[in-house]
Amino acid sequence: MTGTFSSADAVELAVVERNGFTESRHAGSAVVLSPEGELLRALGDVASPVLPRSALKPFIAVAVMSSGVTLRGEDAAIATASHSGTAAHVALVRGLLARASLPESALGCPPAVPTDRTAYEDLVRAGGQRERVYMTCSGKHAAMLLACVANGWPIEGYLDPAHPLQRRILDVLERLTGERATATAIDGCGAPVHAISLTGLARGIQKVTTAASSSPFALFREGAALTEAVRENPWAIAGPGQPDTVAIERVGVFAKFGAEGVMVMTAPDGTTTALKVLDGSSRASTIIGLRLLASTGAIDDSAVDRVATELDLWVMGGERRVGEVRATI
C-alpha cells in the first residue's frame, strides 16, 4: 500500500513562534476551489492520496441519509460529528440507537471517555467508566447502524469493507469526489477509511456543502440537509471550545477536521479548501483553513483574526503568552 505525499512535495503552512523565535514549522499541502469548482490555489502535492480520517464523515452521513434514514437537525449533525462526549452529545447518540431499539453494545467503536473536560470530570465523580457511546465517532456508528436496520442489512460485521453498508459509503464517496479510492485502511474507530487526493476531497465536500435542497437527486438533497444541520447546530459536530464548533459559530463556514492534520472547510459563498499537515498535527489545521479561505476573499481577514483568539493557538511561557501558532500561507 502506498502512502501519502512525501516531505519533498510539502510546503510550509504554519509556524510555531516563541518570543519571536520560530520554534517549529508545519509543512503540508492544500487546495482551494472557487465556488464554481475551479482551482484557485494549490500548495504542495494536491494529487497524491491521503486518508481523510474524520473528514470522511460528511460523505458517510450523506450515504446513510440517502439510504432510507431520515436525519435532520441535531440528529444529522451528530451523524457527522467528532463529538467531545458531553451529556448532550451522548443523548443524541442514544436517541439514534433508540430509533431502532438497538443497544449501545451494537456500536462497533471502542469504549472511551469524554474528551470534554467537564464531562470527563463528571463521569469520574459519578464513578463511571469507559463506554462506546462516549467515543468521539459514536454518532457516525449509530447512524450507520440505522442504515443497516432500514435496509435489512446485517448488524453483524457492519464495519467490514465488504458489508453492503460500506460498499454504499464507498460508492457515494467516489461519486461525489469523482475519484476512485486508491487504498482502504481502518480508522481509529474501527470503520473503513479510503484514500483520495486533496483535490478530490475538496471537490466532494464542495458538492455536499453547496448542494440545493430542491435537487432531483437524493445525494444532493441530503447534502443540503446535512450542511444546514451542521451550520445550525455547530455544538453537535464537536463541542464547547472545539475548533470546528468555534469556526462554524464565529465565521459561518462548514468545517470538519480529520485526524492526522486533515481539514476541510467551505465558506458561505461555496469556496472550499482541503488540507493535510504532513506531520499529522492538527493544532494548526483550523487556522490554516481559515487563512486559505480569507486569502481568496471568501471570508474576512478581520473575522479570522477575531476567531483566532478562541482557537487555543497561544504558546505559553509559564503563565504568560509568549508566542502563537500562526498560518504562513
Side-chain angles (χ1 to χ4, degrees), residues 54-262:
S54 283
L56 198 68
K57 287 177 180 175
F59 302 105
I60 296 172
V62 168
V64 167
M65 294 164 67
S66 60
S67 299
V69 179
T70 300
L71 297 175
R72 293 294 184 267
E74 296 173 340
D75 286 345
I78 199 67
T80 198
S82 297
H83 69 77
S84 53
T86 68
H89 290 120
V90 170
L92 287 178
V93 177
R94 287 175 170 156
L96 293 185
L97 293 172
R99 285 172 55 169
S101 299
L102 290 169
E104 292 179 26
S105 59
L107 294 169
C109 53
V113 296
T115 56
D116 179 84
R117 182 172 181 175
T118 299
Y120 173 70
E121 291 174 348
D122 288 344
L123 179 68
V124 171
R125 280 194 293 267
Q129 59 186 1
R130 292 175 176 269
E131 296 184 32
R132 298 180 190 277
V133 74
Y134 295 129
M135 201 269 164
T136 187
C137 301
S138 62
K140 175 185 77 175
H141 282 258
M144 289 193 291
L145 287 168
L146 285 181
C148 292
V149 172
N151 289 276
W153 297 328
I155 297 298
E156 185 72 22
Y158 79 93
L159 296 179
D160 189 318
H163 189 280
L165 167 70
Q166 298 303 333
R167 292 203 301 267
R168 166 67 176 165
I169 291 169
L170 178 58
D171 176 66
V172 167
L173 174 68
E174 293 182 337
R175 288 167 63 185
L176 290 174
T177 62
E179 292 184 3
R180 287 292 185 92
T182 60
T184 296
I186 303 302
D187 210 334
C189 68
V193 58
H194 309 289
I196 55 174
S197 74
L198 285 174
T199 300
L201 179 59
R203 184 189 302 120
I205 289 294
Q206 185 174 62
K207 287 180 180 178
V208 171
T209 55
T210 61
S213 59
S214 59
S215 172
F217 302 104
L219 284 184
F220 297 114
R221 291 196 304 273
E222 298 302 340
L226 177 68
T227 302
E228 179 182 22
V230 169
R231 285 189 164 135
E232 291 184 352
N233 301 278
W235 70 270
I237 196 173
Q242 296 299 308
D244 283 354
T245 293
V246 170
I248 297 166
E249 287 179 340
R250 301 292 184 263
V251 191
V253 298
F254 179 101
K256 187 70 198 75
F257 110 104
E260 297 297 322
V262 178

Side-chain angles (χ1 to χ4, degrees), residues 287-306:
I287 194 63
I288 294 168
L290 290 170
R291 292 296 184 196
L292 282 168
L293 292 179
S295 74
T296 69
I299 56 178
D300 292 335
D301 274 313
S302 58
V304 179
D305 290 340
R306 289 192 296 272

